[in-house]
Amino acid sequence: MIGHEMSREAILAPLEIAGDLRTRVNISVRVRGGGYSGQASAVATAISRALTGWTKSKKEPTIREDLRKRISVYDKYLISGDARMKEPKKFGGPGARRRKQKSYR
């Protein structure tokens, strides 16, 4: 799936945090686009959201809150996702911020 060791560790981080819950679920994730690290963070976010959603359907609300707290202590973006996005291109230049240089000579 993903070749880099750091990406594998990022993917397995929510499962290590979950502890024994990971033995009770089967996980299958399909991801497209982006690079190794982008895909790894997307898979980690999906796994952590799926685990918290799965524990929400159980009768014990303390398990869900404990899992959410442990995940957010490890990395707060595993549940919420990273909100940074590419800045859109504006008129008057070739990119989002780059413009033509002015020469006053």
Side-chain angles (χ1 to χ4, degrees):
M1 184 166 103
I2 295 178
H4 295 293
E5 192 65 32
M6 294 297 288
S7 299
R8 276 194 208 126
E9 290 177 13
I11 290 171
L12 295 176
L15 296 174
E16 292 173 5
I17 293 169
D20 343 339
L21 289 178
R22 68 179 174 179
T23 60
R24 295 194 277 174
V25 293
N26 292 329
I27 297 173
S28 174
V29 180
R30 184 179 294 182
V31 64
R32 292 186 345 196
Y36 288 124
S37 62
Q39 286 182 351
S41 63
V43 169
T45 302
I47 289 173
S48 60
R49 285 182 184 176
L51 285 174
T52 55
W54 183 73
T55 55
K56 184 178 181 180
S57 66
K58 300 297 175 194
K59 301 285 187 216
E60 304 149 358
T62 57
I63 293 175
R64 179 175 185 256
E65 293 305 317
D66 182 44
L67 181 62
R68 283 182 67 93
K69 189 185 301 181
R70 284 188 287 165
I71 288 174
S72 65
V73 165
Y74 178 77
D75 185 8
K76 67 179 184 177
Y77 294 116
L78 276 180
I79 293 178
S80 64
D82 197 358
R84 295 178 295 177
M85 295 184 70
K86 180 180 172 186
E87 190 172 343
K89 180 191 177 307
K90 283 105 176 166
F91 64 91
R97 295 184 179 226
R98 189 170 150 213
R99 299 283 177 261
K100 282 187 184 177
Q101 288 186 345
K102 296 178 184 175
S103 176
Y104 294 105
R105 292 185 176 197

